[in-house]
Amino acid sequence: MRIIRFLDGQQKWLAAVTDDEQAYRLPQADFMTLIYQAREKGVTPVQWIESALKPVNKLTDDWTSLHLITPVDAPEVWAAGVTYQRSREARNYEATDGKLDAETFYDKVYDAERPEIFFKSTAARTVGPNEAVTLRSDSTWQIPEPELGLVLAADGSIVGYIAGNDMSCRDIEGENPLYLPQAKIWRNSCSIGPAIRLAETVKNPYEFSIVCQIYRDESMVVKSEASTSELNRKLDELVSFLARDNDLYDGTVLLTGTSIVPPNDFTLEPGDRIEISISDIGTLINPVISN
Ligand code: DO4
Ligand code: MG
């Protein structure tokens, strides 16, 4: 069972997508209301939704043709870094111009007890399905980072899984790691969607496959695949570090790091289209524009 949100005129609607891909409009105004109503009733979110599904609320057969928006207004998006070997290698390359000769702080953080967790985005900087992500005007080496996102309640529980794109400037981060916030945060530098897979319907979150395809002039110029089985951290571990001495807000998204980095000679261009597919969640599609 997945949750999507869509626009009908000016009105935002929540909908449930069942395992047979059928979408049903829901009465709740937002995702976290659904979660708390289920808790109050002492049932799981799936049980709560199933008790409310009505044939009259059935939507179009192709839910991806709806005007989808972010399924949750994530007040904050946080991200974990260097949680996969591939990310460690790519960071070492960009920080040393490919001339690695000693251990770097990326190597250290990969093995350290404390994970790298950084602030990534706010609701106003985060776009949803089919909305444009933007390129920084002062970077010449920019990539998408396709990542599994955890949707969190204020108590730190993982209530769902979502696809996310942690847009990154490799040149800015490579020049100096203290520039990380600028390499990661700018207008529309984060996207999430298209659906939230309810946590109770995921048997093993270390079995998601992630595929990234980038199209330029309708030709595929990048295709790369990964699996969350390669993750070097446990999801609960990442959440517990994020929540340590910190307040979490309902609907916060924690991106869990990338294992997909395009070839070193690749940079995004305006007009590109990024497609990030995560098994059992869906495909997050975003065009790329300049700032
Ligand atoms: O260390 C910088 C960022 C790493 C990151 O975003 C990732 O590994 O996904
Ligand atoms: Mg990342």
Side-chain angles (χ1 to χ4, degrees):
M1 180 85 73
R2 283 168 291 176
I3 302 298
I4 56 171
R5 203 161 54 137
F6 66 98
L7 269 182
D8 187 3
Q10 295 299 306
Q11 175 80 40
K12 293 176 184 173
W13 290 98
L14 211 60
V17 179
T18 55
D19 290 345
D20 59 0
E21 298 287 322
Q22 184 58 60
Y24 294 83
R25 194 189 297 253
L26 294 172
Q28 290 79 13
D30 62 76
F31 177 68
M32 289 309 300
T33 300
L34 185 79
I35 298 294
Y36 283 112
Q37 282 178 351
R39 286 185 184 182
E40 270 165 33
K41 300 277 169 198
V43 296
T44 71
V46 171
Q47 288 168 334
W48 179 234
I49 293 164
E50 278 174 349
S51 70
L53 288 189
K54 295 197 182 93
V56 66
N57 291 330
K58 227 177 190 190
L59 293 161
T60 162
D61 282 346
D62 177 13
W63 62 270
T64 63
S65 67
L66 295 167
H67 184 164
L68 298 173
I69 57 175
T70 54
V72 63
D73 288 320
E76 296 182 345
V77 179
W78 293 79
V82 201
T83 50
Y84 290 89
Q85 176 64 16
R86 177 72 189 104
S87 176
R88 173 191 189 170
E89 288 164 5
R91 259 77 213 190
N92 278 338
Y93 180 91
E94 70 208 21
T96 61
D97 293 327
K99 300 181 195 88
L100 180 67
D101 58 6
E103 193 186 45
T104 66
F105 45 82
Y106 294 113
D107 297 317
K108 287 188 185 147
V109 82
Y110 185 78
D111 291 318
E113 189 199 343
R114 183 191 293 275
E116 177 194 3
I117 294 181
F118 58 92
F119 191 78
K120 171 64 190 178
S121 194
T122 54
R125 293 186 179 86
T126 303
V127 301
N130 304 311
E131 275 186 277
V133 288
T134 62
L135 297 174
R136 268 194 89 105
S137 58
D138 56 358
S139 165
T140 57
W141 196 13
Q142 304 188 58
I143 58 163
E145 290 190 358
E147 305 190 6
L148 175 69
L150 313 178
V151 184
L152 305 175
D155 62 5
S157 53
I158 300 172
V159 290
Y161 298 91
I162 194 165
N165 177 359
D166 168 25
M167 292 281 285
S168 296
C169 299
R170 296 188 69 184
D171 48 355
I172 296 178
E173 182 181 339
E175 185 179 344
N176 189 323
L178 296 180
Y179 294 152
L180 189 73
Q182 294 173 79
K184 294 289 190 179
I185 307 168
W186 65 94
R187 188 183 308 120
N188 298 358
S189 65
C190 180
S191 67
I192 56 171
I196 298 171
R197 162 75 50 180
L198 289 167
E200 68 182 288
T201 67
V202 175
K203 279 203 199 88
N204 183 354
Y206 303 98
E207 278 180 352
F208 283 112
S209 71
I210 307 178
V211 179
C212 178
Q213 291 170 293
I214 303 173
Y215 291 87
R216 185 164 294 163
D217 301 325
E218 290 314 314
S219 298
M220 196 171 63
V221 288
V222 170
K223 180 169 183 185
S224 194
E225 298 182 29
S227 161
T228 53
S229 63
E230 300 154 32
L231 192 61
N232 190 42
R233 303 273 180 181
K234 291 287 170 232
L235 300 175
D236 288 343
E237 173 195 350
L238 296 175
V239 176
S240 83
F241 272 95
L242 174 62
R244 192 178 282 189
D245 298 321
N246 190 18
D247 291 325
L248 294 183
Y249 302 97
D250 281 328
T252 290
V253 169
L254 173 58
L255 302 177
T256 55
T258 193
S259 183
I260 294 180
V261 181
N264 290 329
D265 60 1
F266 177 84
T267 187
L268 286 166
E269 288 181 6
D272 288 352
R273 188 175 77 249
I274 305 164
E275 298 192 1
I276 296 170
S277 304
I278 302 193
S279 51
D280 300 328
I281 295 178
T283 302
L284 174 62
I285 302 175
N286 297 103
V288 178
I289 59 170
S290 50
N291 234 313

